Amino acid sequence: MADEDEVVAEKKKPTLVITIAAIAVLTLLAAGGGWLVGNMLAPPPAEKPAEEVAKAEAGGEGGAEGEAVQEVPHISTEANGIVLLDPITSNLAYPSDNRIRLEVALMFKGVPDVKLAEEIHQDILAYMRTVSLQQVQGPRGFQYLREDLQERVDLRSEGRVTNVMFRTFVIE
């Protein structure tokens, strides 16, 4: 009996060492394969980072005293022909305990008309009160909502508004 226990104990030790070694080898192979596939799928690095390109275009090397800094204008300004409407918060038609909140910006052709933008705001608010949750659920429902609002804005503005841009869209 004692001989059988010693034989079983001797067999277990090398098996445990071999198992640990096999797991280590497989882990290294997996890491190497992941690195190889990652390098094949990753896009090549850019020649220069965007910050360096911007500094070079500004006319100086980094940290120069006379360096000209260009400031990017804000998107939603009337100077750019874009008017940000006030947030629209309303109950849905069904279920009436659900609320919807929209922030929409309008892109005008030429000079923006603030009075027209307010009329469009009220029109969107009235429309959102007639929409049910099932109509705006999912990506297709959101696309239909965008198309409906674009059509209403086109009718109201007679083509003066070229684009309706959603900034936020939340259903509670």
Side-chain angles (χ1 to χ4, degrees):
M1 273 299 258
D3 291 333
E4 289 179 11
D5 291 337
E6 290 177 12
V7 171
V8 171
E10 288 178 10
K11 285 185 179 179
K12 286 186 179 178
K13 276 191 175 181
T15 309
L16 182 62
V17 171
I18 291 173
T19 303
I20 291 173
I23 290 174
V25 168
L26 288 175
T27 302
L28 290 174
L29 284 173
W35 176 80
L36 180 67
V37 171
N39 282 338
M40 289 182 355
L41 296 178
E47 294 291 323
K48 292 183 180 178
E51 294 173 4
E52 290 180 13
V53 172
K55 287 180 182 179
E57 289 177 359
E61 296 176 9
E65 286 285 324
E67 184 176 326
V69 178
Q70 289 182 332
E71 189 171 318
V72 179
H74 293 286
I75 275 186
S76 61
T77 62
E78 293 180 20
N80 292 338
I82 298 175
V83 175
L84 178 63
L85 300 180
D86 292 332
I88 298 168
T89 305
S90 172
N91 287 4
L92 292 174
Y94 178 79
S96 61
D97 59 337
N98 283 14
R99 297 176 63 87
I100 190 165
R101 177 183 161 97
L102 290 172
E103 286 186 27
V104 179
L106 304 174
M107 181 182 290
F108 281 85
K109 282 184 192 174
V111 179
D113 185 4
V114 178
K115 184 177 179 187
L116 178 62
E118 287 300 318
E119 290 175 5
I120 292 171
H121 178 271
Q122 293 302 318
D123 195 30
I124 293 173
L125 177 63
Y127 176 72
M128 293 311 296
R129 289 182 178 154
T130 65
V131 173
S132 70
L133 181 61
Q134 289 79 17
Q135 289 175 314
V136 295
Q137 242 176 353
R140 181 169 284 171
F142 181 71
Q143 183 65 34
Y144 289 148
L145 176 69
R146 287 187 62 200
E147 291 171 359
D148 288 345
L149 289 181
Q150 184 67 48
E151 184 178 336
R152 285 179 160 270
V153 168
D154 287 343
L155 288 173
R156 174 70 71 171
S157 69
E158 299 170 353
R160 292 179 50 203
V161 175
T162 59
N163 196 5
V164 177
M165 298 174 281
F166 282 79
R167 294 176 56 103
T168 61
F169 178 75
V170 180
I171 298 176
E172 180 183 297

